[in-house]
């Protein structure tokens, strides 16, 4: 996607965590900055240990900003922390973008979007056909008018009264 992901202003990404750090320690580290709504340390499926990062969600944006300003670059259990605003978790193919949802969660919207695209293509084809028909009708009408003008010219040559009128018109114009 070309658009930037929107940051979550009250959720912080905390990177560089030591193995000893758990959710309780992370909570205790960040509680001085404000009320905490949630603390998560995603686990590695193979080792069942956290993957050296976590997320701290504050109730207030101002508290999250204060914690980020004070804790980015701070040391915890001998490791330097990286603290930034968190980006929403994404999964490949997930339209909603939340890793907590299964990949098929957006299947209904995908089918709806496909139907809408097919309907748009059908309508465009109908519009194109109508435009072509209108253009063809216009061409036929113009051709008939040109033939009618030729017939009028032929009638002028055959009709002495029409010839006289045409000559008078020419004299009046001159």
């Amino acid at each position: 996607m070309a658009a930037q992901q929107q940051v979550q202003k009250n959720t912080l990404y905390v990177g560089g965590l030591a193995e000893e750090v758990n959710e309780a320690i992370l909570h205790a580290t960040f509680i001085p900055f404000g009320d905490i709504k949630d603390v998560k340390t995603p686990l590695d499926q193979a080792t069942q240990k956290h993957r050296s990062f976590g997320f701290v969600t504050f109730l207030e944006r101002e508290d999250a900003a204060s914690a980020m300003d004070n804790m980015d670059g701070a040391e915890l259990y001998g490791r330097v922390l990286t603290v930034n605003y968190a980006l929403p978790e994404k999964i490949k193919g997930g339209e909603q973008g939340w890793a907590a949802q299964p990949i098929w969660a957006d299947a209904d919207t995908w089918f709806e979007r496909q139907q809408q695209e097919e309907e748009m293509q059908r309508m465009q084809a109908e519009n194109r056909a109508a435009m072509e028909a209108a253009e063809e009708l216009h061409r036929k009408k113009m051709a008939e008018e040109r033939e009618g003008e030729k017939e009028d010219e032929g009638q002028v040559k055959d009709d002495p009264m029409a010839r006289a009128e045409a000559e008078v018109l020419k004299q009046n114009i001159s």
Side-chain angles (χ1 to χ4, degrees):
M1 281 201 291
Q4 282 186 338
Q5 291 180 322
Q6 189 172 353
V7 295
Q8 297 177 336
K9 298 282 186 178
N10 61 338
T11 300
L12 298 178
Y13 162 84
V14 182
L17 298 177
E19 280 187 33
E20 303 84 34
V21 177
N22 58 26
E23 290 181 357
I25 293 171
L26 199 55
H27 186 277
T29 303
F30 282 87
I31 195 69
F33 301 103
D35 293 330
I36 294 176
K37 181 179 177 182
D38 190 29
V39 176
K40 289 184 182 175
T41 53
L43 298 178
D44 184 348
Q45 296 298 326
T47 64
Q48 290 301 308
K49 294 181 180 178
H50 69 73
R51 299 170 8 195
S52 75
F53 66 89
F55 298 96
V56 178
T57 303
F58 286 88
L59 291 175
E60 302 292 328
R61 290 180 176 197
E62 295 80 20
D63 297 339
S66 175
M68 185 176 68
D69 291 342
N70 288 288
M71 294 301 291
D72 187 37
E75 192 174 309
L76 181 64
Y77 281 77
R79 305 265 311 259
V80 176
L81 300 179
T82 302
V83 182
N84 296 313
Y85 288 120
L87 296 175
E89 296 178 59
K90 287 288 224 182
I91 56 175
K92 285 190 176 185
E95 186 173 285
Q96 310 302 324
W98 300 103
Q101 294 180 342
I103 196 164
W104 58 85
D106 65 342
D108 291 338
T109 57
W110 183 85
F111 285 118
E112 286 177 17
R113 195 171 55 246
Q114 289 299 108
Q115 288 176 335
Q116 289 173 349
E117 287 177 15
E118 289 172 4
E119 180 69 14
M120 285 296 293
Q121 289 173 354
R122 186 186 62 74
M123 289 173 64
Q124 288 172 345
E126 286 177 3
N127 287 344
R128 230 184 338 267
M131 289 295 288
E132 289 171 1
E135 288 175 5
E136 183 62 30
L137 183 64
H138 181 70
R139 278 191 224 109
K140 284 181 181 176
K141 206 174 206 180
M142 294 300 287
E144 287 174 2
E145 286 179 11
R146 276 186 247 123
E147 284 181 22
E149 289 173 3
K150 289 178 184 175
E151 288 175 8
D152 288 347
E153 289 174 8
Q155 288 175 353
V156 169
K157 290 179 185 173
D158 295 339
D159 185 10
M161 196 64 172
R163 243 184 300 158
E165 286 177 358
E167 285 177 25
V168 170
L169 283 174
K170 283 181 187 177
Q171 289 174 358
N172 287 343
I173 293 174
S174 304

